[in-house]
Amino acid sequence: MKKLNKVGKQIFAVCLSLIMVLTLCISPVSAAEAPNSMTVKRTKEMQSYIGDTNHFMAYATTDGVIVYCMDLHKDGATSGTHYTYLKEGDQGLLYLMKNGYPNKRITNTEEIDQYITQSAVWWYLDDVTGAGNLSEAFQTTDKEAYVGIRNEIVKLVNAAKVASKPSTPTMTVTITNSNLKLTEDGKYYESNPVTVDLNGAKEYKVNINNKSAQAVNENGEEKTTFSAGEKFKIRLNADKVKENINLDVNVTATGEVESVATFNPDNSAFQRVVSSKIYTKNVKLEKKLTLSAAGNGSTPTISTTPAEEDAVIVDVPNTLANSSLFAIVAGVVLVIAGGSLIIYRYRTNKN
């Protein structure tokens, strides 16, 4: 009976290992995209820095992200109110969140910065949608607790109204000469420098389908990852060119698009909110070139996909799924092998 218990414990340990492997495989990769929902709470009532009765309530999510109200004519949410993602905010709201509190400081007092940012959100929406959040007196004649507060609000609002929409990341790949030439030492066939222009991405990767070929920088150093603005060349060992060879060259980069998110309360009597957190969405950029290396000393030429063509934007592939499948198979094999070994040892001990 004791032997059986020992075997049972060993089997349990193997199964537990498999569970850990599967958990690691299917754990989601964290992304900086807006959540589908959140819960907000009241953090404090700010004093009236403009006028005598404009005491604004400050809000944050339960995990500490400051949010700003959008509909002053509605009630402020109570603590514990659940919100659902509504839509991406426009470029003006993005500007206000990037340049308002807490992402940037405006004065030497945090509460005043938060008050200025909240007022700017309502004022901006008044100007672009006619929402009617703030009174004319608030915008013109109400006394300021400190001189200059209203000017800071107006400055933010005016800049937000002319803010441009964030550009979509792009990549353009160009090469000035389509011929690969034999180097002076006769060791390589080599392309002219390839220029990669990136907008919204900091680096790019070069992958070639032939192990005899390399991507090198202009100093001849072999690399697979290049910085934005850095050129590369494709180099192929000349002794490998015995017959025509096609080289598929894949240039990829990942850009980011910034955005802010607005949220709708479950209770329609409460105000909508915009999150101060700046979210990012990944955009994969990809460009494929096919180079032909002709054998017998002939000059290779670029044969397909004009480099001057606009960059192709595609969805980011789910490489996690492939790695997860491999790990799951490996885990199952591990369990089968471990279980077989335990049973074998049990039978041997029993005999």
Side-chain angles (χ1 to χ4, degrees):
M1 187 66 178
K2 290 183 178 179
K3 287 184 179 180
L4 185 58
N5 288 340
K6 183 177 181 181
V7 171
K9 289 179 180 178
Q10 291 175 328
I11 294 176
F12 173 76
V14 173
C15 292
L16 182 61
S17 299
L18 177 60
I19 292 172
M20 293 176 66
V21 170
L22 294 178
T23 302
L24 291 173
C25 293
I26 63 177
S27 295
V29 177
S30 60
E33 295 186 8
N36 292 325
S37 63
M38 63 186 188
T39 302
V40 304
K41 62 181 179 180
R42 296 185 173 192
T43 57
K44 62 183 173 181
E45 182 177 319
M46 296 180 283
Q47 75 175 68
S48 184
Y49 289 99
I50 295 181
D52 297 324
T53 59
N54 299 306
H55 303 271
F56 301 149
M57 187 63 65
Y59 288 91
T61 65
T62 50
D63 56 355
V65 178
I66 290 174
V67 298
Y68 290 101
C69 298
M70 299 174 64
D71 312 294
L72 185 54
H73 58 281
K74 290 188 175 185
D75 295 333
T78 55
S79 291
T81 298
H82 182 263
Y83 277 78
T84 304
Y85 176 81
L86 178 59
K87 63 180 180 179
E88 185 177 302
D90 65 17
Q91 61 268 24
L93 287 175
L94 174 60
Y95 179 89
L96 292 177
M97 294 303 100
K98 288 184 67 174
N99 294 278
Y101 182 81
N103 295 314
K104 286 189 180 178
R105 294 302 308 274
I106 304 168
T107 71
N108 59 2
T109 305
E110 291 187 6
E111 184 173 303
I112 294 177
D113 290 355
Q114 192 166 0
Y115 190 93
I116 289 171
T117 306
Q118 175 61 84
S119 301
V121 170
W122 284 321
W123 198 321
Y124 168 76
L125 293 173
D126 285 350
D127 284 0
V128 298
T129 69
N133 288 306
L134 296 170
S135 68
E136 182 178 351
F138 181 94
Q139 297 180 355
T140 56
T141 60
D142 277 348
K143 186 178 179 180
E144 302 168 88
Y146 302 98
V147 175
I149 291 179
R150 185 182 285 112
N151 286 340
E152 292 296 342
I153 299 170
V154 171
K155 203 186 310 182
L156 275 176
V157 171
N158 287 341
K161 289 192 293 186
V162 298
S164 57
K165 186 177 181 179
S167 58
T168 301
T170 59
M171 176 175 69
T172 303
V173 180
T174 56
I175 186 169
T176 57
N177 191 317
S178 61
N179 294 325
L180 290 177
K181 298 178 181 179
L182 193 64
T183 56
E184 292 184 1
D185 56 14
K187 292 182 178 180
Y188 306 101
Y189 282 112
E190 191 173 83
S191 73
N192 277 8
V194 180
T195 301
V196 179
D197 293 319
L198 293 174
N199 173 39
K202 297 180 180 179
E203 64 181 23
Y204 65 91
K205 298 181 183 295
V206 178
N207 182 268
I208 313 167
N209 71 331
N210 191 309
K211 294 181 179 179
S212 299
Q214 306 92 31
V216 299
N217 62 17
E218 292 187 279
N219 295 324
E221 300 167 334
E222 183 178 351
K223 300 176 68 175
T224 57
T225 301
F226 298 81
S227 301
E230 190 176 10
K231 298 180 180 180
F232 75 92
K233 296 184 286 187
I234 296 300
R235 175 181 286 180
L236 177 64
N237 291 343
D239 59 0
K240 300 295 183 181
V241 186
K242 306 300 182 182
E243 55 186 16
N244 292 347
I245 298 176
N246 288 327
L247 299 177
D248 293 328
V249 181
N250 200 33
V251 184
T252 59
T254 301
E256 292 185 347
V257 179
E258 292 183 328
S259 66
V260 290
T262 63
F263 296 84
N264 221 20
D266 288 353
N267 186 339
S268 61
F270 294 152
Q271 298 192 56
R272 296 171 298 159
V273 297
V274 56
S275 173
S276 65
K277 186 171 183 178
I278 308 302
Y279 299 101
T280 57
K281 179 173 62 176
N282 287 341
V283 178
K284 183 172 181 182
L285 310 171
E286 184 175 41
K287 187 69 176 180
K288 293 182 179 179
L289 300 174
T290 299
L291 310 182
S292 296
N296 301 320
S298 301
T299 302
T301 60
I302 293 178
S303 60
T304 65
T305 312
E308 293 78 11
E309 193 175 296
D310 289 338
V312 179
I313 300 178
V314 299
D315 292 333
V316 180
N318 184 10
T319 55
L320 180 64
N322 294 332
S323 60
S324 296
L325 179 60
F326 174 79
I328 290 172
V329 172
V332 172
V333 171
L334 176 64
V335 170
I336 293 174
S340 299
L341 178 60
I342 292 168
I343 293 171
Y344 171 77
R345 291 176 58 189
Y346 170 68
R347 290 178 174 174
T348 301
N349 294 334
K350 186 176 180 180
N351 292 336

